[in-house]
Amino acid sequence: MRNNLLDQEIRERLLSYINGELDEMERLSVESWLRDKPENREAFRLLEKDCLFIRWAGKEREVNVGKRKTILLQEIRRVRVRKIRFRIAATVAVLMAVGGMYLFVSPPTYEKMLAKNEPVIRHAYPQAKLILSTGKEIDLTKNIGYIQEQDGFVVALDSNKMLVYDGVQVIESKKTIYNKIIVPRGGEFFLTLSDGTEVWLNADSELEYPVNFVSDERAVKLRGEAYFKVKRDTTKPFRVTSGKYRLQVYGTEFNMNTYHQEEIQVVLVQGAVGFRANLSTPELRLKPNQLGVANELTGKTEIKEVDIYPYIAWKNQDVVFVNERLESIMEKIERWYDVNVFFQNDSLKDVRLYGNIQRYTDIQDLLFFLEKTSGARFGIKDRTIIINNK
């Protein structure tokens, strides 16, 4: 019993050390304990990893004391459902016992992590260029207001840097006029099509669409990733294409990821969609909370029941990883922050991580948590992230 109490006392002391709450004498005592035995240092490393994991899992940053217990209890249930190691749940209980404050451990300051000559790399922000039907390019990061198209069509860029076709006065025309939005790496953009359909475009994506839907269907072309909230119109079906891939929409919300031809992903939030990997394959229907995966090249398809939030979290400025390979995570980071990634050890690509945080302004904060919850070390040279073993 005494050993159990002593263990808890040590844990509480270590948690206070992690949170920077010890005075000088107490801090030196903990550091002496850490130097004493390798197993002490390993126990500290595991506890620190658990604290960071739980900090990462908490999407609420500023909450009152009354909400902390609810958040932590929810985290215990989430951890059990996802079958993360039970010791994490045990650590949550310790955190609750000492006041629930350790959920809010902050990463170190930039000065400790960045050389003074290193650039600050920030996450995606609204930026894109609009290609008009005439070929003219318009920088949408500027406060433009109204944009004139052919045949009297008018496009509006509102004060929030959102492109709006819905509700804009246009001259009726039977001619289909196309625009294209190109979102670079490190960017994202939102637009409303003329039928009222809302589209969120992720970094390194393109969308080509009619300025006004005049044909019997509403057809757009996507490269990259987008979240669609389609305006229901039974007289004009909505269709999204990407190469030979076809997605037929029946009034719905969904996320479509076409970054890789061999693994095009669609998750359905609500409504109904049907997809075909290519023109030679039959249409398959998705239900809400299902993921459809298709290989455009081979025609192979698969439908899975999933937790859809990790697939759509980017739209809400969240970073969510659920047993995801580090290589896949770093591909997203490349797009979001407009950086390059180099693995010095290919085995690290298969490291799997869980996490749920808001996208940080500076990439150093995100890399801090990735390093503390993995067996990898992250360094930055210019705009290249170098990953190797600790």
Side-chain angles (χ1 to χ4, degrees):
M1 177 66 72
R2 175 59 187 165
N3 288 337
N4 290 336
L5 291 174
L6 183 61
D7 289 344
Q8 182 165 335
E9 289 173 8
I10 291 173
R11 286 189 179 189
E12 292 182 13
R13 180 61 60 87
L14 292 178
L15 290 167
S16 296
Y17 178 81
I18 291 169
N19 209 36
E21 295 180 345
L22 300 181
D23 60 30
E24 183 68 11
M25 291 296 294
E26 291 171 328
R27 183 180 63 78
L28 292 174
S29 175
V30 170
E31 291 174 354
S32 175
W33 180 85
L34 290 172
R35 289 192 297 269
D36 186 40
K37 296 179 182 179
E39 52 265 37
N40 291 352
R41 293 191 291 275
E42 176 63 12
F44 174 77
R45 187 187 69 80
L46 293 174
L47 182 61
E48 183 185 41
K49 184 175 180 180
D50 288 346
C51 291
L52 288 166
F53 181 94
I54 296 162
R55 161 67 168 80
W56 201 346
K59 294 199 303 180
E60 296 286 341
R61 293 296 188 273
E62 300 293 335
V63 296
N64 60 41
V65 175
K67 288 184 179 179
R68 287 186 185 128
K69 185 174 181 180
T70 300
I71 291 172
L72 291 167
L73 287 172
Q74 289 173 345
E75 177 59 18
I76 291 173
R77 287 194 292 270
R78 191 186 68 79
V79 167
R80 285 173 178 167
V81 168
R82 292 182 178 170
K83 300 181 180 178
I84 313 277
R85 288 170 295 179
F86 183 75
R87 63 180 179 79
I88 296 176
T91 304
V92 176
V94 173
L95 296 179
M96 291 173 63
V98 296
M101 292 300 295
Y102 302 99
L103 182 63
F104 308 101
V105 177
S106 296
T109 60
Y110 300 152
E111 289 77 11
K112 292 182 180 179
M113 300 186 64
L114 278 173
K116 291 184 179 179
N117 60 345
E118 288 289 348
V120 175
I121 302 173
R122 302 190 182 281
H123 70 71
Y125 64 93
Q127 58 172 319
K129 64 180 178 180
L130 174 66
I131 312 298
L132 299 178
S133 59
T134 60
K136 181 180 178 180
E137 296 186 5
I138 296 176
D139 184 356
L140 295 178
T141 61
K142 298 178 180 178
N143 191 11
I144 299 166
Y146 290 96
I147 303 166
Q148 194 75 30
E149 249 291 1
Q150 295 185 61
D151 293 351
F153 286 96
V154 178
V155 187
L157 183 66
D158 71 12
S159 58
N160 294 317
K161 296 292 189 295
M162 298 178 182
L163 201 61
V164 181
Y165 291 80
D166 184 32
V168 174
Q169 294 296 320
V170 298
I171 297 174
E172 288 296 329
S173 173
K174 296 298 182 181
K175 180 181 178 181
T176 302
I177 298 174
Y178 288 92
N179 281 183
K180 179 188 288 188
I181 283 187
I182 301 176
V183 181
R185 295 204 322 174
E188 58 189 9
F189 208 78
F190 172 82
L191 71 153
T192 303
L193 302 179
S194 63
D195 67 334
T197 292
E198 297 175 341
V199 185
W200 290 257
L201 283 166
N202 206 347
D204 193 19
S205 299
E206 297 179 9
L207 185 72
E208 185 175 357
Y209 52 91
V211 171
N212 196 29
F213 295 105
V214 296
S215 65
D216 293 335
E217 66 174 3
R218 296 169 291 165
V220 301
K221 296 179 181 179
L222 173 68
R223 184 196 66 77
E225 184 170 22
Y227 183 97
F228 291 84
K229 187 175 181 180
V230 177
K231 188 75 170 180
R232 185 173 178 82
D233 184 347
T234 56
T235 65
K236 287 187 178 182
F238 195 95
R239 191 182 76 217
V240 186
T241 63
S242 178
K244 296 180 180 179
Y245 180 92
R246 297 287 186 274
L247 186 76
Q248 190 76 18
V249 183
Y250 303 97
T252 189
E253 289 187 42
F254 62 94
N255 191 83
M256 184 170 169
N257 182 331
T258 72
Y259 288 120
H260 300 290
Q261 281 184 302
E262 68 278 11
E263 193 178 357
I264 295 176
Q265 298 178 343
V266 176
V267 290
L268 184 60
V269 178
Q270 64 180 21
V273 296
F275 70 94
R276 301 171 66 181
N278 54 48
L279 296 176
S280 64
T281 59
E283 181 180 280
L284 299 178
R285 289 288 187 101
L286 282 183
K287 297 177 181 178
N289 299 312
Q290 286 187 333
L291 164 69
V293 182
N295 187 320
E296 179 190 332
L297 305 177
T298 65
K300 182 179 178 181
T301 58
E302 185 179 8
I303 295 178
K304 306 175 184 177
E305 299 285 339
V306 296
D307 174 3
I308 63 172
Y309 190 71
Y311 298 90
I312 66 174
W314 66 268
K315 181 178 75 73
N316 300 323
Q317 293 288 310
D318 284 343
V319 181
V320 178
F321 312 132
V322 179
N323 195 29
E324 187 169 349
R325 295 174 68 246
L326 183 57
E327 182 180 32
S328 173
I329 293 170
M330 298 312 297
E331 284 182 3
K332 295 176 181 177
I333 289 174
E334 281 185 310
R335 291 190 291 266
W336 290 337
Y337 292 87
D338 189 18
V339 295
N340 299 311
V341 173
F342 176 72
F343 284 87
Q344 289 190 328
N345 185 338
D346 284 346
S347 66
L348 292 172
K349 294 178 180 180
D350 291 322
V351 171
R352 292 186 175 271
L353 296 173
Y354 290 77
N356 185 347
I357 59 172
Q358 286 192 328
R359 222 181 291 177
Y360 282 110
T361 298
D362 192 290
I363 198 172
Q364 286 286 356
D365 293 337
L366 177 56
L367 296 183
F368 170 77
F369 285 108
L370 286 176
E371 184 166 305
K372 289 298 183 179
T373 55
S374 71
R377 187 178 299 281
F378 297 79
I380 297 179
K381 179 64 175 177
D382 297 324
R383 298 192 71 86
T384 298
I385 301 172
I386 301 168
I387 307 172
N388 54 36
N389 292 98
K390 286 184 178 179

